Amino acid sequence: MIGLAARSVRHRGTSFAATFVTLLLGTALMGSFATLAETAGGPVSAADAETLRIMGLVVGGWGTLIVLFAAASTLGITVRQRELELAALRIVGATPRQARRLVRLETLAVATLASLGGALLAAGGGRVLLALLREGGLVADDVAFAGGPASLAVTAAVVLATGLGAATVAGRRATRGPARGVLTEAATDGGRIRRWQVLLAVVLIGYGLAMAVVTMTVTADAEDPYAAMQTSGSNAILVSVGLALLAPVLLRRIALLGRPVLRRCGVAGQLAAFQTTRRAHQLAGVLGPVVVLSGAATGILMLVGIDDRTIRAAGTPPDDADAINLLNNVVMGMIVVFAAILVVTSFAAAVAHRRGELHRLWLLGATRRQVRSSVLAESAVVAVTGVVLGSLASLATIVPFAVARDEGLVPDGQLWLPPLVAVGTVLLTLASARSAVRRADPVGTVRAGALR
């Protein structure tokens, strides 16, 4: 079984490489903040300990939510792509238990290497964050870095457990029921969204909206000017992840609305219109990261802009205002870069799995340009849908924080920023799809096969 798992990982190098990169960087992001929380338990003053805990647990929690979603989403994509393969193994004699064990062994191997590598990166990342805190005057200069094996081990264990949990859930879905029934369901993408996904999505969206109300009605009047930031900063991320969990349903509905437009775009548009509805569950694995990237980037960037503008307009900004602004930008950069990498790796995994399908389209008469254009059209639908949903999610942070800082429902500045983020997200999505489909070039695949 171990040998089979090793050969399977090598055979699906692109998909597992995408999983490895996601888990590696996710562990590094989570662990960097976790080391600050561990440092707070060392010989530091009460004020410094509170600052470190806020950075490590509250602000770090924003990134942790994205990381755990990314881990579950990427592994879900990888396992769903193998439903046909797992069903075939069962037909030739493997039991459902053996098939699930194979999935867990593959995930364990990749996730272990990624989490260990990420923990090493996190040790350096935590030191960089602490140095920024010291330079900004948010903690005393004599605060020494105390992050060590405890916080890094917990971070690696959480990522590993999340990966194994996601693989177990996806593996059960791929092995439940008769093998031939799974073959039919996988071939037609007939999977349905799970009840626990709907429940979790409702909880996340509801909590994000509830905290938005708390920001406008409670923390807006607090003496601490940053109290409203603490209750509104993560709302966009919460709602984005909640919407991402509903991505299969949302994509299918929106794709149906856009089908008349796509059908007017020639053969490529007709192929895209068919695939976005037929393969909504597979494309949802790509839509989720786009929603999170768009929502998190827009929400956090606008939050930082509102904070900087209103604090300076007050005339007497706090002594640590510049440091907090710098730190917010660093945190925002780390989260947004990770979300952007997740978009790229998700597309790489999704398109690599479809190499055989693109090959067959070419054999049936589709030209190289038509095949590529159809994938780009699909990515355009995903990008536009993700940007719209992400922009809506970002309002859960922007509106309550703007109200709390007396700017009203519409912020007083930087209204150009959301469209800029939207354009950047769409371009990144299209570029990721173009790069992925070029690597999975069906023409190149046929020529390579002919030469063997």
Side-chain angles (χ1 to χ4, degrees), residues 34-230:
T35 56
L36 296 182
E38 186 178 4
T39 302
V44 299
S45 65
D48 290 341
E50 181 181 4
T51 299
L52 290 170
R53 288 194 187 96
I54 290 175
M55 284 298 303
L57 301 178
V58 178
V59 180
W62 304 359
T64 298
L65 182 61
I66 294 179
V67 169
L68 296 182
F69 163 76
S73 175
T74 305
L75 282 165
I77 293 174
T78 303
V79 177
R80 279 199 304 271
Q81 290 175 350
R82 304 189 53 211
E83 289 181 352
L84 286 171
E85 176 185 335
L86 296 175
L89 285 175
R90 292 175 59 194
I91 288 176
V92 298
T95 65
R97 183 177 180 180
Q98 289 174 326
R100 290 193 293 267
R101 184 186 175 196
L102 174 64
V103 171
R104 287 195 297 269
L105 284 174
E106 295 166 350
T107 303
L108 180 63
V110 175
T112 299
L113 292 175
S115 59
L116 291 177
L120 295 176
L121 294 176
R127 293 179 184 276
V128 172
L129 288 176
L130 181 59
L132 288 173
L133 289 172
R134 285 197 297 254
E135 291 177 5
L138 295 178
V139 297
D141 292 336
D142 60 352
V143 174
F145 180 76
S151 58
L152 296 178
V154 170
T155 301
V158 169
V159 172
L160 186 59
T162 301
L164 289 175
T168 299
V169 171
R172 286 180 178 175
R173 176 185 183 275
T175 56
R176 75 181 190 280
R180 295 187 183 278
V182 175
L183 281 171
T184 303
E185 183 176 324
T188 59
D189 194 35
R192 296 181 180 180
I193 189 170
R194 298 290 178 263
R195 292 182 180 178
W196 65 266
Q197 286 182 265
V198 176
L199 178 61
L200 183 56
V202 171
V203 170
L204 290 174
I205 295 173
Y207 184 76
L209 296 179
M211 293 305 293
V213 174
V214 169
T215 301
M216 292 186 288
T217 58
V218 179
T219 56
D221 300 323
E223 295 182 1
D224 183 358
Y226 295 107
M229 181 180 290
Q230 294 178 22

Side-chain angles (χ1 to χ4, degrees), residues 45 91 117 258 311 391 425:
S45 65
I91 288 176
I311 287 293
S391 299
T425 302

Side-chain angles (χ1 to χ4, degrees), residues 33 129 190 221 305 307 319 352 357 365 442 448:
F33 288 101
L129 288 176
D221 300 323
D307 174 61
D319 295 335
E357 173 194 332

Side-chain angles (χ1 to χ4, degrees), residues 300-393:
I300 297 176
L301 284 171
M302 290 295 290
L303 176 88
V304 172
I306 294 170
D307 174 61
D308 183 62
R309 186 169 57 250
T310 54
I311 287 293
R312 297 188 184 281
T316 56
D319 295 335
D320 55 1
D322 289 336
I324 292 176
N325 189 41
L326 172 63
L327 208 55
N328 282 333
N329 282 306
V330 171
V331 173
M332 176 273 301
M334 293 173 67
I335 293 175
V336 170
V337 168
F338 176 76
I341 293 174
L342 178 60
V343 171
V344 175
T345 56
S346 297
F347 255 112
V351 176
H353 172 65
R354 297 177 59 188
R355 184 180 286 112
E357 173 194 332
L358 302 180
H359 180 183
R360 288 189 293 273
L361 286 174
W362 183 79
L363 290 177
L364 290 171
T367 65
R368 189 178 195 174
R369 181 177 180 181
Q370 287 172 337
V371 171
R372 288 185 176 182
S373 297
S374 67
V375 176
L376 290 177
E378 293 173 26
S379 67
V381 174
V382 170
V384 172
T385 303
V387 164
V388 171
L389 295 176
S391 299
L392 291 175

